[in-house]
Amino acid sequence: MADTPLPPDASSTVDAERGAWKSKLGFILAASGSAIGLGNIVFFASNAYQYGGGAFYLPYFIALFVLGIPVMIVEFSLGTLTGQSFPVALRKLVGKRGEYVGWWTTSSALFITMYYITILGWALSMLFGAFGGLLTDPAVAPFTGMTEPTAGPNATVYFFGMIATPWPLLAVVAIWAMTILILWRGTATIEKAVRVFVPLMWLFMIVLIVRGLTLPGGIDGVLYLFTPNLDGILDVNVWQGAFAQMFFSLSLGLGTMTAYASYLPKDADQINNSMLVSFLNCGFEYIAGVAIFSMLFVFALNPAGTTLSLSFFVIPQGIANFPFWVKGFGVFFFFLLVIAGLTSAVSLVEGVAAPLKDKLGISRAKALTFVMVPGIIGSLAFALPFVVDPDLTGDGTLGLTLLDILDHWVFRYSLLVGGFMECLLIGWVLGAANLRQFVNEHSKFSLGPWFDVLIKFVIPIILGVVIFFTLLADLTGGLYGEAYTINGFEWLPVVIPIFWIVATIATSIFLTNRPMHESTPHNVPAEA
Ligand code: PHE
């Protein structure tokens, strides 16, 4: 089966009406803008810390070269090979079962978008806070009357005070509005936005790193991050953490990169593009790690706690200790979070809207509306200020609890399962050698047969093992979220994962079985 040549009409030339990047630079900025986001700033540093600094980066580098770059080559080339977004591209290349997988990951992407935008809404609220009472000593929690968190450092008080007010609901709507605005005319407007935002986020990150490293003692944090440490290397959690981090950070496993690549000409060099985007992303991630770790060490801050705590309370607390221009740096930091996250949210929404357009033949405005309506409802649900834990020790508000439980399941499973299935389908049904031949035709550098071995065996085995152990830990360790104080909502830890699984599978079955819009030619190989 693996030797069957590519279906004759599988390949396409770029369809200008569907959308097309004006230049290679535009595409690289957009794809790296997708990759660089909250994952690089918020999640990388807390993962690296949690898994012991130097112990994290061997698994991380292995993840980059063995999983990250090869899977990105696959996702990019699916886009150029077919000129279609993920589920439709898979349908053309590997048949109906591919489309089921494609819609399943696409609908999971919508769930991620919902809470990703809520977190951005909180970052925006903190940005406003940085102008006001957030970085003053003692921090002035907004609307203290609504909630009285007692203990805890300043920024923590501010954050919990803030999420217990309705203001973040407004911020969430504002982020959705900006996202849709950037997506309104497709590649044309995306390209305009990323030309401004992506260079700006590099600039801001460089300012922060210079600040962190010039603080007396800042270099110690960097040493912690870079000193190899093999202690944790046998711990399967460290590997799971590194792999999930790599997939999330590179925007892989959900089909997002396929949507962006489908707006490239067919002869785009996808090896070169994948390496560029991956190195830009991981370079940024490392710089962000350096900036954050230098601050942690200088101010002896403890980043333990939830992943969000690092960006929302620990770093602001460090910034509040800066010798000068505290508010300026505070504003800088949250502005950086917002723009980095916004260019990722844009790609997440495009990754859901483009397949709807391709499959159903509807207009861009209609597709965006179909994504936006459930999307905003979800994002607002996660921003619900209703206080369920009056001590604000567990998750504090209903929205944050919902978010934390959903993230546990979606983050851990959807990207890795998506990557796993994608490699099996491309490796075995389409034939990794077929894809490699297509990629090599347009690339300066040639992939050898080792690429087929990676896609057919190595990556599915690694991901399969990691998914298995993660599932085992989840099944034996008690239901995630059960321990939270969520008065009156004790059923949430059961209902949330069930809702996610049922909703994504039902969406996948429904959309796969809808007739394909006529002008989207598709070809199902006879044996699929
Ligand atoms: N890569 C983005 C980040 O690091 C998140 C993302 C994941 C975006 C998957 C699109 C698809 O924040």
Side-chain angles (χ1 to χ4, degrees):
M1 217 171 4
D3 295 318
T4 7
L6 290 174
D9 72 345
S11 49
S12 70
T13 44
V14 73
D15 168 357
E17 246 174 56
R18 207 180 146 269
W21 301 109
K22 279 209 199 75
S23 64
K24 172 167 170 159
L25 178 70
F27 168 72
I28 294 292
L29 287 173
S32 64
S34 164
I36 300 172
L38 297 177
N40 301 58
I41 308 168
V42 182
F43 305 133
F44 173 74
S46 51
N47 273 327
Y49 183 85
Q50 190 188 337
Y51 298 120
F56 189 66
Y57 81 87
L58 186 65
Y60 178 85
F61 275 115
I62 293 181
L64 169 61
F65 290 101
V66 177
L67 305 171
I69 298 177
V71 174
M72 193 175 286
I73 294 176
V74 170
E75 293 203 3
F76 275 168
S77 49
L78 288 184
T80 35
L81 178 58
T82 61
Q84 298 291 319
S85 49
F86 200 55
V88 180
L90 286 175
R91 173 69 179 244
K92 285 172 91 173
L93 297 172
V94 298
K96 199 167 176 178
R97 59 192 138 166
E99 194 177 348
Y100 281 117
V101 171
W103 285 116
W104 182 74
T105 64
T106 302
S107 40
S108 272
L110 180 58
F111 277 91
I112 293 187
T113 314
M114 293 171 183
Y115 69 82
Y116 200 89
I117 290 193
T118 306
I119 300 176
L120 283 177
W122 287 333
L124 184 62
S125 309
M126 293 294 268
L127 170 63
F128 288 122
F131 284 108
L134 167 59
L135 301 159
T136 52
D137 186 24
V140 185
F143 308 98
T144 343
M146 300 187 68
T147 144
E148 297 279 353
T150 41
N154 290 344
T156 317
V157 172
Y158 189 92
F159 178 77
F160 280 115
M162 180 267 293
I163 65 166
T165 71
W167 291 104
L169 296 171
L170 215 65
V172 159
V173 174
I175 300 278
W176 263 104
M178 286 188 260
T179 307
I180 297 296
L181 214 64
I182 295 176
L183 283 162
W184 200 247
R185 299 214 169 274
T187 44
T189 36
I190 301 173
E191 214 163 327
K192 277 199 186 117
V194 293
R195 272 174 194 269
V196 179
F197 288 155
V198 175
L200 211 57
M201 64 207 193
W202 279 93
L203 183 74
F204 280 16
M205 192 39 95
I206 290 168
V207 171
L208 277 180
I209 194 179
V210 170
R211 176 66 290 202
L213 288 180
T214 50
L215 288 165
I219 201 77
D220 295 337
V222 183
L223 291 178
Y224 176 77
L225 189 61
F226 285 101
T227 310
N229 159 3
L230 296 182
D231 283 355
I233 220 76
L234 291 178
D235 181 355
V236 60
N237 284 315
V238 175
W239 294 86
Q240 196 270 336
F243 294 170
Q245 169 64 27
M246 187 54 68
F247 264 74
F248 189 80
S249 186
L250 291 176
S251 306
L252 298 175
L254 301 177
T256 310
M257 289 304 193
T258 301
Y260 269 10
S262 69
Y263 304 126
L264 279 174
K266 192 183 157 203
D267 60 358
D269 181 343
Q270 296 302 28
I271 301 179
N272 181 285
N273 287 341
S274 303
M275 305 240 271
L276 252 171
V277 172
S278 302
F279 290 145
L280 282 171
N281 177 70
C282 294
F284 192 95
E285 199 148 274
Y286 248 71
I287 300 189
V290 167
I292 291 168
F293 274 79
S294 58
M295 248 186 265
L296 295 183
F297 272 64
V298 172
F299 301 114
L301 298 167
N302 175 13
T306 66
T307 23
L308 288 186
S309 64
L310 192 62
S311 295
F312 286 100
F313 355 128
V314 182
I315 298 169
Q317 208 188 316
I319 292 177
N321 285 321
F322 277 178
F324 61 86
W325 210 43
V326 167
K327 283 196 184 207
F329 280 110
V331 170
F332 245 169
F333 177 72
F334 285 108
F335 191 64
L336 168 65
L337 270 190
V338 170
I339 58 173
L342 195 60
T343 52
S344 302
V346 163
S347 73
L348 276 162
V349 175
E350 180 66 22
V352 185
L356 289 173
K357 248 176 97 242
D358 288 344
K359 168 91 189 196
L360 306 172
I362 53 179
S363 67
R364 164 162 280 276
K366 222 177 187 168
L368 287 174
T369 312
F370 280 151
V371 182
M372 194 169 67
V373 171
I376 291 191
I377 294 174
S379 301
L380 290 176
F382 297 125
L384 283 180
F386 180 54
V387 175
V388 284
D389 170 9
D391 297 328
L392 296 180
T393 47
D395 275 284
T397 59
L398 184 59
L400 181 56
T401 311
L402 281 171
L403 187 153
D404 183 69
I405 297 174
L406 182 74
D407 171 66
H408 174 86
W409 298 100
V410 183
F411 180 77
R412 288 175 143 221
Y413 295 101
S414 56
L415 301 94
L416 296 186
V417 172
F420 173 77
M421 311 239 248
E422 178 182 341
C423 287
L424 286 182
L425 289 168
I426 297 303
W428 294 93
V429 183
L430 175 72
N434 281 323
L435 187 79
R436 177 163 60 90
Q437 189 200 343
F438 168 77
V439 172
N440 283 347
E441 268 166 28
H442 307 293
S443 165
K444 280 195 222 92
F445 176 82
S446 268
L447 298 169
W450 53 266
F451 180 79
D452 310 357
V453 178
L454 277 183
I455 300 297
K456 289 170 86 160
F457 301 101
V458 181
I459 301 178
I461 291 174
I462 294 182
L463 291 181
V465 169
V466 166
I467 294 165
F468 173 78
F469 277 108
T470 314
L471 202 59
L472 198 67
D474 265 322
L475 294 177
T476 54
L479 190 62
Y480 186 81
E482 239 173 8
Y484 288 145
T485 324
I486 20 179
N487 299 327
F489 294 91
E490 288 79 9
W491 43 273
L492 281 177
V494 182
V495 170
I496 292 172
I498 295 179
F499 179 74
W500 161 61
I501 294 179
V502 172
T504 47
I505 293 181
T507 309
S508 161
I509 294 175
F510 174 74
L511 285 166
T512 304
N513 290 297
R514 301 278 305 174
M516 184 81 68
H517 163 62
E518 283 142 27
S519 79
T520 303
H522 64 103
N523 183 324
V524 186
E527 67 273 50

mmCIF file of all heavy atoms in Angstrom, residues 34-40 116 248-252 254 256 344 347-348 415, ligand 1:
data_model
loop_
_atom_site.group_PDB
_atom_site.id
_atom_site.type_symbol
_atom_site.label_atom_id
_atom_site.label_comp_id
_atom_site.label_asym_id
_atom_site.label_seq_id
_atom_site.Cartn_x
_atom_site.Cartn_y
_atom_site.Cartn_z
ATOM 1 N N SER A 34 2.299 31.915 14.943
ATOM 2 C CA SER A 34 1.441 30.864 15.487
ATOM 3 C C SER A 34 2.191 30.070 16.549
ATOM 4 O O SER A 34 1.692 29.804 17.636
ATOM 5 C CB SER A 34 0.993 29.930 14.362
ATOM 6 O OG SER A 34 0.480 28.730 14.900
ATOM 7 N N ALA A 35 3.424 29.702 16.207
ATOM 8 C CA ALA A 35 4.194 28.860 17.131
ATOM 9 C C ALA A 35 4.541 29.619 18.410
ATOM 10 O O ALA A 35 4.363 29.105 19.515
ATOM 11 C CB ALA A 35 5.452 28.374 16.425
ATOM 12 N N ILE A 36 5.027 30.845 18.253
ATOM 13 C CA ILE A 36 5.426 31.601 19.448
ATOM 14 C C ILE A 36 4.178 32.158 20.112
ATOM 15 O O ILE A 36 3.435 32.917 19.509
ATOM 16 C CB ILE A 36 6.372 32.757 19.072
ATOM 17 C CG1 ILE A 36 7.635 32.200 18.404
ATOM 18 C CG2 ILE A 36 6.725 33.579 20.305
ATOM 19 C CD1 ILE A 36 8.551 33.259 17.832
ATOM 20 N N GLY A 37 3.952 31.728 21.347
ATOM 21 C CA GLY A 37 2.741 32.192 22.026
ATOM 22 C C GLY A 37 2.852 31.941 23.512
ATOM 23 O O GLY A 37 3.954 31.886 24.060
ATOM 24 N N LEU A 38 1.697 31.743 24.135
ATOM 25 C CA LEU A 38 1.699 31.498 25.583
ATOM 26 C C LEU A 38 2.560 30.286 25.910
ATOM 27 O O LEU A 38 3.180 30.223 26.965
ATOM 28 C CB LEU A 38 0.275 31.253 26.065
ATOM 29 C CG LEU A 38 -0.688 32.431 25.889
ATOM 30 C CD1 LEU A 38 -2.091 32.046 26.346
ATOM 31 C CD2 LEU A 38 -0.201 33.641 26.673
ATOM 32 N N GLY A 39 2.600 29.317 25.005
ATOM 33 C CA GLY A 39 3.397 28.113 25.222
ATOM 34 C C GLY A 39 4.865 28.449 25.479
ATOM 35 O O GLY A 39 5.507 27.839 26.324
ATOM 36 N N ASN A 40 5.387 29.434 24.747
ATOM 37 C CA ASN A 40 6.808 29.761 24.873
ATOM 38 C C ASN A 40 7.104 30.547 26.134
ATOM 39 O O ASN A 40 8.190 30.458 26.686
ATOM 40 C CB ASN A 40 7.251 30.635 23.695
ATOM 41 C CG ASN A 40 7.027 29.951 22.391
ATOM 42 O OD1 ASN A 40 5.898 29.570 22.071
ATOM 43 N ND2 ASN A 40 8.069 29.752 21.637
ATOM 44 N N TYR A 116 -7.626 29.317 25.488
ATOM 45 C CA TYR A 116 -6.443 30.111 25.134
ATOM 46 C C TYR A 116 -6.828 31.597 25.140
ATOM 47 O O TYR A 116 -6.112 32.448 25.654
ATOM 48 C CB TYR A 116 -5.973 29.680 23.746
ATOM 49 C CG TYR A 116 -4.533 30.028 23.418
ATOM 50 C CD1 TYR A 116 -3.502 29.156 23.722
ATOM 51 C CD2 TYR A 116 -4.217 31.232 22.790
ATOM 52 C CE1 TYR A 116 -2.178 29.458 23.414
ATOM 53 C CE2 TYR A 116 -2.904 31.549 22.475
ATOM 54 C CZ TYR A 116 -1.890 30.654 22.789
ATOM 55 O OH TYR A 116 -0.584 30.971 22.472
ATOM 56 N N PHE A 248 2.735 21.438 21.501
ATOM 57 C CA PHE A 248 1.950 22.652 21.720
ATOM 58 C C PHE A 248 2.711 23.869 21.207
ATOM 59 O O PHE A 248 2.174 24.716 20.501
ATOM 60 C CB PHE A 248 1.640 22.808 23.215
ATOM 61 C CG PHE A 248 0.660 23.904 23.496
ATOM 62 C CD1 PHE A 248 -0.707 23.696 23.327
ATOM 63 C CD2 PHE A 248 1.089 25.149 23.927
ATOM 64 C CE1 PHE A 248 -1.613 24.707 23.577
ATOM 65 C CE2 PHE A 248 0.178 26.168 24.185
ATOM 66 C CZ PHE A 248 -1.177 25.941 24.010
ATOM 67 N N SER A 249 3.987 23.923 21.567
ATOM 68 C CA SER A 249 4.771 25.093 21.223
ATOM 69 C C SER A 249 4.913 25.264 19.705
ATOM 70 O O SER A 249 4.870 26.379 19.199
ATOM 71 C CB SER A 249 6.138 24.967 21.878
ATOM 72 O OG SER A 249 6.853 26.141 21.678
ATOM 73 N N LEU A 250 5.081 24.163 19.000
ATOM 74 C CA LEU A 250 5.223 24.270 17.545
ATOM 75 C C LEU A 250 3.864 24.276 16.835
ATOM 76 O O LEU A 250 3.804 24.217 15.611
ATOM 77 C CB LEU A 250 6.083 23.122 17.015
ATOM 78 C CG LEU A 250 7.576 23.147 17.398
ATOM 79 C CD1 LEU A 250 8.280 21.901 16.874
ATOM 80 C CD2 LEU A 250 8.274 24.385 16.847
ATOM 81 N N SER A 251 2.777 24.335 17.577
ATOM 82 C CA SER A 251 1.424 24.335 16.996
ATOM 83 C C SER A 251 1.168 23.091 16.148
ATOM 84 O O SER A 251 0.604 23.172 15.056
ATOM 85 C CB SER A 251 1.171 25.566 16.115
ATOM 86 O OG SER A 251 1.423 26.745 16.797
ATOM 87 N N LEU A 252 1.602 21.927 16.639
ATOM 88 C CA LEU A 252 1.428 20.704 15.853
ATOM 89 C C LEU A 252 0.336 19.803 16.423
ATOM 90 O O LEU A 252 -0.044 19.939 17.583
ATOM 91 C CB LEU A 252 2.741 19.915 15.831
ATOM 92 C CG LEU A 252 3.922 20.625 15.187
ATOM 93 C CD1 LEU A 252 5.188 19.787 15.347
ATOM 94 C CD2 LEU A 252 3.649 20.916 13.719
ATOM 95 N N LEU A 254 -2.782 19.552 15.524
ATOM 96 C CA LEU A 254 -4.171 20.003 15.397
ATOM 97 C C LEU A 254 -4.493 20.413 13.965
ATOM 98 O O LEU A 254 -5.610 20.793 13.657
ATOM 99 C CB LEU A 254 -4.424 21.198 16.322
ATOM 100 C CG LEU A 254 -4.194 20.964 17.821
ATOM 101 C CD1 LEU A 254 -4.416 22.251 18.595
ATOM 102 C CD2 LEU A 254 -5.124 19.880 18.346
ATOM 103 N N THR A 256 -3.262 23.010 12.441
ATOM 104 C CA THR A 256 -3.125 24.457 12.274
ATOM 105 C C THR A 256 -2.114 24.808 11.178
ATOM 106 O O THR A 256 -2.368 25.657 10.316
ATOM 107 C CB THR A 256 -2.629 25.072 13.597
ATOM 108 O OG1 THR A 256 -3.453 24.584 14.648
ATOM 109 C CG2 THR A 256 -2.656 26.570 13.558
ATOM 110 N N SER A 344 -1.093 33.590 17.894
ATOM 111 C CA SER A 344 -1.361 32.147 17.974
ATOM 112 C C SER A 344 -2.859 31.881 17.928
ATOM 113 O O SER A 344 -3.314 30.941 17.260
ATOM 114 C CB SER A 344 -0.788 31.552 19.268
ATOM 115 O OG SER A 344 0.582 31.776 19.353
ATOM 116 N N SER A 347 -4.130 31.857 14.485
ATOM 117 C CA SER A 347 -3.880 30.621 13.731
ATOM 118 C C SER A 347 -4.799 29.501 14.194
ATOM 119 O O SER A 347 -5.228 28.671 13.396
ATOM 120 C CB SER A 347 -2.419 30.203 13.861
ATOM 121 O OG SER A 347 -2.153 29.700 15.155
ATOM 122 N N LEU A 348 -5.090 29.472 15.485
ATOM 123 C CA LEU A 348 -6.007 28.438 15.978
ATOM 124 C C LEU A 348 -7.375 28.592 15.328
ATOM 125 O O LEU A 348 -7.979 27.620 14.870
ATOM 126 C CB LEU A 348 -6.153 28.543 17.501
ATOM 127 C CG LEU A 348 -5.079 27.843 18.347
ATOM 128 C CD1 LEU A 348 -5.082 28.367 19.777
ATOM 129 C CD2 LEU A 348 -5.301 26.327 18.358
ATOM 130 N N LEU A 415 -3.272 16.884 21.160
ATOM 131 C CA LEU A 415 -2.176 17.125 20.207
ATOM 132 C C LEU A 415 -1.366 15.856 19.971
ATOM 133 O O LEU A 415 -1.007 15.541 18.835
ATOM 134 C CB LEU A 415 -1.241 18.230 20.710
ATOM 135 C CG LEU A 415 -1.881 19.592 20.953
ATOM 136 C CD1 LEU A 415 -2.292 19.749 22.397
ATOM 137 C CD2 LEU A 415 -0.961 20.703 20.566
HETATM 138 N N1 PHE B 1 1.991 27.324 19.623
HETATM 139 C C1 PHE B 1 1.135 28.152 20.380
HETATM 140 C C2 PHE B 1 1.856 28.585 21.652
HETATM 141 O O1 PHE B 1 2.964 28.232 21.892
HETATM 142 C C3 PHE B 1 -0.173 27.483 20.731
HETATM 143 C C4 PHE B 1 -0.847 26.781 19.607
HETATM 144 C C5 PHE B 1 -1.026 25.412 19.653
HETATM 145 C C6 PHE B 1 -1.289 27.477 18.492
HETATM 146 C C7 PHE B 1 -1.613 24.718 18.626
HETATM 147 C C8 PHE B 1 -1.889 26.797 17.435
HETATM 148 C C9 PHE B 1 -2.045 25.424 17.505
HETATM 149 O O2 PHE B 1 1.322 29.296 22.424
#
